[in-house]
PDB file of all heavy atoms in Angstrom:
ATOM      1  N   ASP P  54       4.300 -55.142   2.213  1.00 88.00           N
ATOM      2  CA  ASP P  54       4.724 -54.006   1.387  1.00 88.00           C
ATOM      3  C   ASP P  54       3.751 -53.765   0.242  1.00 88.00           C
ATOM      4  O   ASP P  54       3.386 -52.617  -0.042  1.00 88.00           O
ATOM      5  CB  ASP P  54       6.140 -54.222   0.849  1.00 88.00           C
ATOM      6  CG  ASP P  54       7.186 -54.129   1.945  1.00 88.00           C
ATOM      7  OD1 ASP P  54       6.967 -53.372   2.915  1.00 88.00           O
ATOM      8  OD2 ASP P  54       8.223 -54.809   1.831  1.00 88.00           O
ATOM      9  N   GLU P  55       3.318 -54.837  -0.416  1.00 93.00           N
ATOM     10  CA  GLU P  55       2.329 -54.700  -1.493  1.00 93.00           C
ATOM     11  C   GLU P  55       1.004 -54.198  -0.931  1.00 93.00           C
ATOM     12  O   GLU P  55       0.317 -53.418  -1.587  1.00 93.00           O
ATOM     13  CB  GLU P  55       2.121 -56.032  -2.204  1.00 93.00           C
ATOM     14  CG  GLU P  55       3.281 -56.443  -3.084  1.00 93.00           C
ATOM     15  CD  GLU P  55       3.006 -57.735  -3.841  1.00 93.00           C
ATOM     16  OE1 GLU P  55       1.866 -58.254  -3.782  1.00 93.00           O
ATOM     17  OE2 GLU P  55       3.931 -58.231  -4.499  1.00 93.00           O
ATOM     18  N   LEU P  56       0.634 -54.629   0.267  1.00 92.00           N
ATOM     19  CA  LEU P  56      -0.611 -54.195   0.900  1.00 92.00           C
ATOM     20  C   LEU P  56      -0.611 -52.685   1.104  1.00 92.00           C
ATOM     21  O   LEU P  56      -1.571 -51.994   0.752  1.00 92.00           O
ATOM     22  CB  LEU P  56      -0.807 -54.913   2.233  1.00 92.00           C
ATOM     23  CG  LEU P  56      -1.970 -54.450   3.093  1.00 92.00           C
ATOM     24  CD1 LEU P  56      -3.301 -54.711   2.404  1.00 92.00           C
ATOM     25  CD2 LEU P  56      -1.929 -55.141   4.447  1.00 92.00           C
ATOM     26  N   ALA P  57       0.461 -52.152   1.667  1.00 90.00           N
ATOM     27  CA  ALA P  57       0.537 -50.715   1.922  1.00 90.00           C
ATOM     28  C   ALA P  57       0.490 -49.912   0.625  1.00 90.00           C
ATOM     29  O   ALA P  57      -0.217 -48.902   0.539  1.00 90.00           O
ATOM     30  CB  ALA P  57       1.807 -50.396   2.707  1.00 90.00           C
ATOM     31  N   ALA P  58       1.203 -50.363  -0.383  1.00 92.00           N
ATOM     32  CA  ALA P  58       1.224 -49.657  -1.668  1.00 92.00           C
ATOM     33  C   ALA P  58      -0.145 -49.704  -2.343  1.00 92.00           C
ATOM     34  O   ALA P  58      -0.624 -48.699  -2.884  1.00 92.00           O
ATOM     35  CB  ALA P  58       2.292 -50.250  -2.574  1.00 92.00           C
ATOM     36  N   ALA P  59      -0.802 -50.863  -2.301  1.00 93.00           N
ATOM     37  CA  ALA P  59      -2.130 -50.999  -2.908  1.00 93.00           C
ATOM     38  C   ALA P  59      -3.159 -50.150  -2.166  1.00 93.00           C
ATOM     39  O   ALA P  59      -4.041 -49.554  -2.784  1.00 93.00           O
ATOM     40  CB  ALA P  59      -2.560 -52.465  -2.917  1.00 93.00           C
ATOM     41  N   ALA P  60      -3.041 -50.087  -0.849  1.00 91.00           N
ATOM     42  CA  ALA P  60      -3.956 -49.252  -0.061  1.00 91.00           C
ATOM     43  C   ALA P  60      -3.801 -47.789  -0.456  1.00 91.00           C
ATOM     44  O   ALA P  60      -4.792 -47.071  -0.629  1.00 91.00           O
ATOM     45  CB  ALA P  60      -3.699 -49.437   1.425  1.00 91.00           C
ATOM     46  N   GLU P  61      -2.576 -47.351  -0.626  1.00 91.00           N
ATOM     47  CA  GLU P  61      -2.309 -45.974  -1.043  1.00 91.00           C
ATOM     48  C   GLU P  61      -2.953 -45.682  -2.394  1.00 91.00           C
ATOM     49  O   GLU P  61      -3.611 -44.659  -2.576  1.00 91.00           O
ATOM     50  CB  GLU P  61      -0.797 -45.746  -1.117  1.00 91.00           C
ATOM     51  CG  GLU P  61      -0.414 -44.350  -1.521  1.00 91.00           C
ATOM     52  CD  GLU P  61      -0.673 -43.326  -0.446  1.00 91.00           C
ATOM     53  OE1 GLU P  61      -0.670 -43.690   0.742  1.00 91.00           O
ATOM     54  OE2 GLU P  61      -0.911 -42.158  -0.807  1.00 91.00           O
ATOM     55  N   ARG P  62      -2.804 -46.587  -3.334  1.00 92.00           N
ATOM     56  CA  ARG P  62      -3.401 -46.384  -4.671  1.00 92.00           C
ATOM     57  C   ARG P  62      -4.932 -46.434  -4.609  1.00 92.00           C
ATOM     58  O   ARG P  62      -5.616 -45.646  -5.257  1.00 92.00           O
ATOM     59  CB  ARG P  62      -2.862 -47.411  -5.652  1.00 92.00           C
ATOM     60  CG  ARG P  62      -1.407 -47.164  -6.030  1.00 92.00           C
ATOM     61  CD  ARG P  62      -0.924 -48.083  -7.128  1.00 92.00           C
ATOM     62  NE  ARG P  62      -0.825 -49.472  -6.705  1.00 92.00           N
ATOM     63  CZ  ARG P  62       0.246 -50.013  -6.137  1.00 92.00           C
ATOM     64  NH1 ARG P  62       1.313 -49.288  -5.899  1.00 92.00           N
ATOM     65  NH2 ARG P  62       0.248 -51.290  -5.800  1.00 92.00           N
ATOM     66  N   ALA P  63      -5.483 -47.344  -3.826  1.00 91.00           N
ATOM     67  CA  ALA P  63      -6.942 -47.469  -3.728  1.00 91.00           C
ATOM     68  C   ALA P  63      -7.565 -46.235  -3.089  1.00 91.00           C
ATOM     69  O   ALA P  63      -8.694 -45.866  -3.417  1.00 91.00           O
ATOM     70  CB  ALA P  63      -7.312 -48.723  -2.941  1.00 91.00           C
ATOM     71  N   LEU P  64      -6.838 -45.585  -2.191  1.00 89.00           N
ATOM     72  CA  LEU P  64      -7.360 -44.378  -1.548  1.00 89.00           C
ATOM     73  C   LEU P  64      -7.495 -43.214  -2.527  1.00 89.00           C
ATOM     74  O   LEU P  64      -8.145 -42.222  -2.216  1.00 89.00           O
ATOM     75  CB  LEU P  64      -6.473 -43.986  -0.364  1.00 89.00           C
ATOM     76  CG  LEU P  64      -6.626 -44.880   0.860  1.00 89.00           C
ATOM     77  CD1 LEU P  64      -5.543 -44.579   1.890  1.00 89.00           C
ATOM     78  CD2 LEU P  64      -8.014 -44.750   1.471  1.00 89.00           C
ATOM     79  N   CYS P  65      -6.935 -43.340  -3.717  1.00 90.00           N
ATOM     80  CA  CYS P  65      -7.129 -42.328  -4.760  1.00 90.00           C
ATOM     81  C   CYS P  65      -8.547 -42.395  -5.323  1.00 90.00           C
ATOM     82  O   CYS P  65      -9.040 -41.420  -5.884  1.00 90.00           O
ATOM     83  CB  CYS P  65      -6.126 -42.524  -5.889  1.00 90.00           C
ATOM     84  SG  CYS P  65      -4.423 -42.201  -5.426  1.00 90.00           S
ATOM     85  N   PHE P  66      -9.208 -43.536  -5.178  1.00 91.00           N
ATOM     86  CA  PHE P  66     -10.551 -43.739  -5.714  1.00 91.00           C
ATOM     87  C   PHE P  66     -11.643 -43.508  -4.673  1.00 91.00           C
ATOM     88  O   PHE P  66     -12.774 -43.181  -5.021  1.00 91.00           O
ATOM     89  CB  PHE P  66     -10.702 -45.175  -6.249  1.00 91.00           C
ATOM     90  CG  PHE P  66      -9.834 -45.467  -7.428  1.00 91.00           C
ATOM     91  CD1 PHE P  66      -8.640 -46.142  -7.270  1.00 91.00           C
ATOM     92  CD2 PHE P  66     -10.204 -45.066  -8.700  1.00 91.00           C
ATOM     93  CE1 PHE P  66      -7.829 -46.423  -8.355  1.00 91.00           C
ATOM     94  CE2 PHE P  66      -9.402 -45.343  -9.789  1.00 91.00           C
ATOM     95  CZ  PHE P  66      -8.206 -46.021  -9.615  1.00 91.00           C
ATOM     96  N   ASP P  67     -11.348 -43.744  -3.402  1.00 89.00           N
ATOM     97  CA  ASP P  67     -12.356 -43.682  -2.345  1.00 89.00           C
ATOM     98  C   ASP P  67     -11.646 -43.470  -1.009  1.00 89.00           C
ATOM     99  O   ASP P  67     -10.471 -43.798  -0.869  1.00 89.00           O
ATOM    100  CB  ASP P  67     -13.153 -44.991  -2.308  1.00 89.00           C
ATOM    101  CG  ASP P  67     -14.479 -44.871  -1.578  1.00 89.00           C
ATOM    102  OD1 ASP P  67     -14.562 -44.126  -0.588  1.00 89.00           O
ATOM    103  OD2 ASP P  67     -15.441 -45.530  -2.004  1.00 89.00           O
ATOM    104  N   ASP P  68     -12.364 -42.941  -0.030  1.00 88.00           N
ATOM    105  CA  ASP P  68     -11.795 -42.732   1.308  1.00 88.00           C
ATOM    106  C   ASP P  68     -11.865 -43.979   2.175  1.00 88.00           C
ATOM    107  O   ASP P  68     -11.327 -43.984   3.283  1.00 88.00           O
ATOM    108  CB  ASP P  68     -12.538 -41.601   2.033  1.00 88.00           C
ATOM    109  CG  ASP P  68     -12.268 -40.249   1.390  1.00 88.00           C
ATOM    110  OD1 ASP P  68     -11.227 -40.094   0.720  1.00 88.00           O
ATOM    111  OD2 ASP P  68     -13.106 -39.343   1.550  1.00 88.00           O
TER     112      ASP P  68
END
Side-chain angles (χ1 to χ4, degrees):
D54 290 329
E55 288 183 7
L56 173 64
E61 181 72 27
R62 289 187 292 272
L64 286 170
C65 293
F66 294 99
D67 199 325
D68 291 337

